[in-house]
Amino acid sequence: MFKIGDFSKLSQVSSKALRYYDNIGLLKPAHVDSFSGYRYYTIDQLPRLNRIVALKELGFSLDQITQLLDENLSLAQLQGMLRMKQAEIERQIADEQQRLLRVQARLQQIECENTSSAYDVVTRQVMPMTIASIRDRVPDYSHVGHLFHRLFATLGEHQVQATGSPFVRYHDGEHREDDPDIEACIAIEALEIEHEHITVSKLPAVQIATTIHTGQYTTLSAAYGALMTWIAHNGYDIILPNREVYLRGPALNRSAETYVTEIQFSISKRVNI
Amino acid sequence: MFKIGDFSKLSQVSSKALRYYDNIGLLKPAHVDSFSGYRYYTIDQLPRLNRIVALKELGFSLDQITQLLDENLSLAQLQGMLRMKQAEIERQIADEQQRLLRVQARLQQIECENTSSAYDVVTRQVMPMTIASIRDRVPDYSHVGHLFHRLFATLGEHQVQATGSPFVRYHDGEHREDDPDIEACIAIEALEIEHEHITVSKLPAVQIATTIHTGQYTTLSAAYGALMTWIAHNGYDIILPNREVYLRGPALNRSAETYVTEIQFSISKRVNI
DNA sequence: CTTGACTTTGCCCTTAGGGGAAGGTGCATA
DNA sequence: TATGCACCTTCCCCTAAGGGCAAAGTCAAG
């Protein structure tokens, strides 16, 4: 019979942990003095404690270990749990490696440019939405306002409720100053409209990499650069078209310095063969 | 000005989290209505929130992010934090891979032997200790009792306090039935003794892989087998000598079925070149 | 008998919020 | 203007696996 401290030294498991295991019913002492409350363990309990520690190192929670030990389950069940654990660990490793990649990309960027980027790139989902849009190949970017003008005018005529911020989709494979293929979009309540020049379509939910640009549109290219670099360094592929969301644009008649624009690229994890 | 729900939709950060960030001072709303308590956010806060999310995905804690954002630190400091993070993630990945190895070893064992081993192998430290011992090359294992007899007799003569369980150290590179080189040991309070045939030495703290065998000594080899297999499958190298700790041995005059023995191999992580 | 080492229970603490209750607001509609 | 209804607020409890600390009780040796 060992007191808790001796058993703790023997097994190298803290007495706090031993008490906890007692509380949750994972390892009850062989004897508890009913007067003093002292816990007494025997050497026979060491194998069970060892098993607990071993399973803990495999990554099982104490809850799972309790089940594993008490509901003495079949070999097949144990095998199943191990396989699940295996898959889980593999997923975790992949996550960590992804994280490592991001940290390294950030470090590399600091080393190369000797500056920390003003753009923080984040991945997230965009919700699916129904949009009304006008798509056209226009001479240059200054015509975007015109497209939105036509779009909103038509929606107004039909009394269609727009929601969210207006955005454009760029359908060209690469950046081009001249004759870009632009689609001016706005999310709408889901309903049917018919009108020449206006298309209603549903955009599915997609995973995107996104960054926020604050300031005039003439400096947007820096944000594009940061975003593209990030995507390349973090092992993603771009899926066209990309979106440019005008979170705060010219509509408010405020200074161009206060414009806020979000750039979104739909992405998928690059498959390395 | 967005209410918390709108800002949440915009950023894909839950409003619960936004409130939490407000509480810990990480992201205060641009305006809080003093009457209703409603939080109002502006689009200008999106970059900061984005930065928070980005840093969170790098693995920083909210506490660290608060420091990173508010104590606007130098590029060198940021670089330092990133490097530390990098090292931490690399360590984590190594840990997970170790864990994966263990799970796979366990699965492999089930598949090969179609049974779950009775032996759970655990790694831990043994504390440094001062021991008294008698080392001898004896004809066979049955002489171990004799060695301990001499050891305890001598300690008794000198009134030396023994602590812990007696154990032996096997100095032979491999298992041999005949003429093994055996050292019978017992931990003692640190003091000087001189006596022919008895050695006092200090054992350093070492990392060990250990398992517990319950039952007669004739079946110890199964435990050895399980332990050796585990060590091989988990990428460790053995450092001699190994110890056999008699947690409950013949001294109590109980049935040999109740003997409890711990086998310890000092290990080091195998370097893969 | 005393002393010191050990043990007990109990409470609060840790991360990053999630879930839910009770009650107050804001906006659109009848 | 009254009323829904969706949204917002604070408050409290919960998570996993114990760690730290405090007050009080116990054990064993001298």
Side-chain angles (χ1 to χ4, degrees):
Chain A
M1 300 292 254
F2 299 89
K3 285 198 282 189
I4 198 169
D6 299 332
F7 200 57
S8 166
K9 281 200 198 81
L10 199 64
S11 61
Q12 300 292 340
V13 173
S14 78
S15 39
K16 200 81 186 191
L18 289 174
R19 284 195 198 98
Y20 185 63
Y21 296 163
D22 181 8
N23 281 339
I24 65 174
L26 184 51
L27 181 70
K28 294 279 182 195
H31 172 69
V32 177
D33 188 297
S34 55
F35 177 63
S36 69
Y38 273 34
R39 294 171 177 83
Y40 291 94
Y41 295 85
T42 71
I43 207 70
D44 301 299
Q45 302 191 272
L46 206 45
R48 183 177 172 102
L49 183 52
N50 249 358
R51 171 149 290 186
I52 291 170
V53 173
L55 290 171
K56 217 156 71 79
E57 290 195 337
L58 295 185
F60 289 106
S61 73
L62 297 189
D63 219 27
Q64 291 173 311
I65 295 174
T66 308
Q67 293 175 19
L68 278 170
L69 292 184
D70 292 347
E71 312 162 11
N72 50 3
L73 30 65
S74 71
L75 205 61
Q77 282 174 298
L78 175 61
Q79 207 173 16
M81 292 194 70
L82 285 170
R83 272 201 232 284
M84 283 184 55
K85 202 70 211 172
Q86 185 183 20
E88 190 185 322
I89 296 171
E90 279 165 358
R91 198 161 28 73
Q92 284 219 5
I93 289 179
D95 282 4
E96 294 291 328
Q97 272 164 348
Q98 174 66 30
R99 183 161 303 161
L100 187 58
L101 215 56
R102 290 187 187 203
V103 171
Q104 282 169 342
R106 199 105 172 189
L107 271 169
Q108 193 181 343
Q109 185 217 1
I110 288 181
E111 273 163 30
C112 291
E113 310 175 19
N114 204 30
T115 172
S116 154
S117 169
Y119 297 100
D120 292 288
V121 179
V122 161
T123 64
R124 60 176 175 87
Q125 287 265 118
V126 285
M127 295 289 98
M129 59 179 92
T130 303
I131 58 165
S133 65
I134 297 179
R135 177 173 173 178
D136 207 353
R137 192 172 285 281
V138 294
D140 63 62
Y141 291 114
S142 62
H143 288 72
V144 173
H146 195 58
L147 287 182
F148 275 113
H149 198 74
R150 277 165 51 201
L151 179 62
F152 285 122
T154 310
L155 292 181
E157 276 176 34
H158 293 260
Q159 300 204 322
V160 175
Q161 195 65 19
T163 64
S165 302
F167 59 96
V168 302
R169 304 208 293 161
Y170 289 107
H171 291 273
D172 292 308
E174 53 192 13
H175 180 78
R176 46 191 291 177
E177 282 295 328
D178 302 325
D179 297 326
D181 182 357
I182 287 176
E183 184 177 9
C185 316
I186 182 84
I188 56 172
E189 309 286 331
L191 37 84
E192 313 296 321
I193 327 175
E194 293 205 13
H195 189 279
E196 66 266 37
H197 306 307
I198 282 197
T199 314
V200 172
S201 46
K202 295 191 184 196
L203 301 184
V206 283
Q207 188 71 13
I208 56 163
T210 173
T211 197
I212 303 278
H213 171 77
T214 304
Q216 309 179 98
Y217 295 137
T218 51
T219 54
L220 258 179
S221 58
Y224 269 98
L227 186 48
M228 305 287 270
T229 306
W230 188 95
I231 290 172
H233 278 54
N234 282 268
Y236 290 104
D237 283 327
I238 288 175
I239 303 167
L240 287 174
N242 71 298
R243 305 185 196 175
E244 216 173 270
V245 184
Y246 304 108
L247 295 170
R248 187 160 66 208
L252 294 168
N253 285 322
R254 292 178 53 177
S255 148
E257 300 300 325
T258 69
Y259 291 175
V260 178
T261 312
E262 180 175 13
I263 304 166
Q264 302 178 344
F265 275 92
S266 179
I267 52 171
S268 70
K269 197 69 194 162
R270 188 187 306 149
V271 254
N272 23 14
I273 306 169
Chain B
M1 299 292 255
F2 300 89
K3 284 199 282 188
I4 197 168
D6 300 332
F7 199 58
S8 166
K9 280 201 200 79
L10 199 64
S11 61
Q12 299 292 337
V13 172
S14 77
S15 41
K16 204 80 186 188
L18 289 174
R19 285 195 199 98
Y20 184 64
Y21 296 164
D22 181 7
N23 281 341
I24 65 173
L26 185 52
L27 181 70
K28 294 276 179 197
H31 172 70
V32 178
D33 187 297
S34 54
F35 175 62
S36 68
Y38 274 31
R39 293 173 178 80
Y40 291 95
Y41 295 85
T42 69
I43 207 70
D44 301 299
Q45 303 190 273
L46 204 47
R48 184 177 172 101
L49 182 52
N50 249 357
R51 170 149 291 188
I52 290 169
V53 173
L55 290 172
K56 216 155 74 77
E57 290 195 337
L58 295 186
F60 289 106
S61 73
L62 297 189
D63 218 28
Q64 292 173 311
I65 296 175
T66 308
Q67 292 174 18
L68 278 170
L69 292 183
D70 292 347
E71 312 163 9
N72 51 1
L73 32 64
S74 71
L75 204 61
Q77 283 174 300
L78 174 61
Q79 207 172 15
M81 292 195 71
L82 284 170
R83 271 202 232 284
M84 282 185 55
K85 202 71 210 170
Q86 184 182 22
E88 190 185 324
I89 295 172
E90 279 166 358
R91 197 161 29 74
Q92 284 218 6
I93 289 179
D95 281 4
E96 295 290 328
Q97 272 164 347
Q98 174 66 27
R99 184 161 301 161
L100 187 58
L101 217 55
R102 291 186 185 204
V103 171
Q104 282 168 342
R106 199 105 173 188
L107 271 169
Q108 194 181 342
Q109 186 215 0
I110 288 181
E111 272 164 31
C112 291
E113 309 175 21
N114 205 31
T115 171
S116 156
S117 169
Y119 297 100
D120 293 289
V121 180
V122 161
T123 62
R124 59 177 175 86
Q125 288 264 118
V126 285
M127 294 291 96
M129 60 179 92
T130 303
I131 59 165
S133 65
I134 298 178
R135 178 172 172 179
D136 207 353
R137 192 173 287 281
V138 294
D140 64 61
Y141 291 114
S142 62
H143 289 72
V144 172
H146 194 60
L147 287 183
F148 275 113
H149 197 75
R150 277 165 53 201
L151 179 62
F152 285 123
T154 310
L155 293 182
E157 277 175 36
H158 293 261
Q159 300 204 321
V160 175
Q161 194 66 17
T163 63
S165 302
F167 60 95
V168 303
R169 304 207 293 161
Y170 289 107
H171 290 274
D172 290 308
E174 54 192 12
H175 180 79
R176 49 191 289 176
E177 282 295 326
D178 301 324
D179 298 324
D181 182 358
I182 286 176
E183 184 178 8
C185 314
I186 182 82
I188 56 172
E189 308 287 330
L191 38 84
E192 314 295 323
I193 327 175
E194 293 206 12
H195 188 279
E196 67 265 38
H197 305 306
I198 283 197
T199 314
V200 173
S201 46
K202 296 191 184 197
L203 301 184
V206 283
Q207 187 71 13
I208 56 163
T210 173
T211 196
I212 303 278
H213 171 77
T214 305
Q216 309 178 95
Y217 295 138
T218 51
T219 53
L220 259 179
S221 59
Y224 270 96
L227 186 48
M228 305 287 270
T229 306
W230 187 94
I231 290 172
H233 278 53
N234 283 268
Y236 289 103
D237 283 328
I238 288 174
I239 303 166
L240 285 175
N242 73 298
R243 304 185 198 176
E244 217 173 87
V245 185
Y246 304 108
L247 295 170
R248 188 160 67 208
L252 295 168
N253 285 321
R254 292 177 53 175
S255 149
E257 299 300 326
T258 68
Y259 291 173
V260 178
T261 312
E262 180 175 13
I263 304 167
Q264 303 179 343
F265 275 93
S266 179
I267 51 172
S268 70
K269 198 69 192 159
R270 189 187 306 147
V271 253
N272 23 14
I273 306 168

